[in-house]
Amino acid sequence: MTTGQALYEERMKRITDAVELRQPDRVPVAFFNMFWLARYGGISYRELMHDYERLSEIARRALLELQPDMYAHPHLLTAVGPVQLSRAHARL
């Protein structure tokens, strides 16, 4: 059984090798998600943006199932949502 520390080191080496243009053991997988988690979890986009506990539960399930090498924090990405983006564009 591989320990958490060993998995972390393996993933960091894979990412570092790719960044430093060395040949990694495989292509690193980065998990950047926004609204895909709503479909994965079977909830609406509105629920995803407003129910952070549910979002956390769904994101955790996806991360455990897919085992990416790195990921972006889902709360930061979904909090920006379409309403916030449209306000930002209105100021431009």
Side-chain angles (χ1 to χ4, degrees):
M1 176 104 185
T2 308
T3 67
Q5 183 64 34
L7 285 172
Y8 173 79
E9 289 171 7
E10 178 184 307
R11 290 175 177 153
M12 283 305 297
K13 179 173 180 1
R14 182 176 298 129
I15 293 164
T16 303
D17 284 349
V19 168
E20 294 177 354
L21 303 177
R22 290 191 303 254
Q23 182 80 31
D25 61 334
R26 67 168 172 78
V27 175
V29 176
F31 188 66
F32 293 99
N33 60 77
M34 287 183 71
F35 295 98
W36 175 83
L37 284 173
R39 291 208 171 191
Y40 179 81
I43 63 173
S44 70
Y45 297 139
R46 180 181 292 265
E47 274 183 282
L48 183 80
M49 290 178 66
H50 296 286
D51 189 346
Y52 282 175
E53 286 183 34
R54 189 85 185 267
L55 171 60
S56 296
E57 173 188 314
I58 293 167
R60 181 179 175 85
R61 193 173 80 218
L63 290 170
L64 290 172
E65 181 179 334
L66 302 174
Q67 294 288 313
D69 295 310
M70 60 183 159
Y71 72 96
H73 198 280
H75 298 91
L76 299 175
L77 297 174
T78 56
V80 177
V83 173
Q84 293 295 334
L85 286 176
S86 63
R87 286 185 189 153
H89 288 283
R91 288 188 213 138
L92 295 176

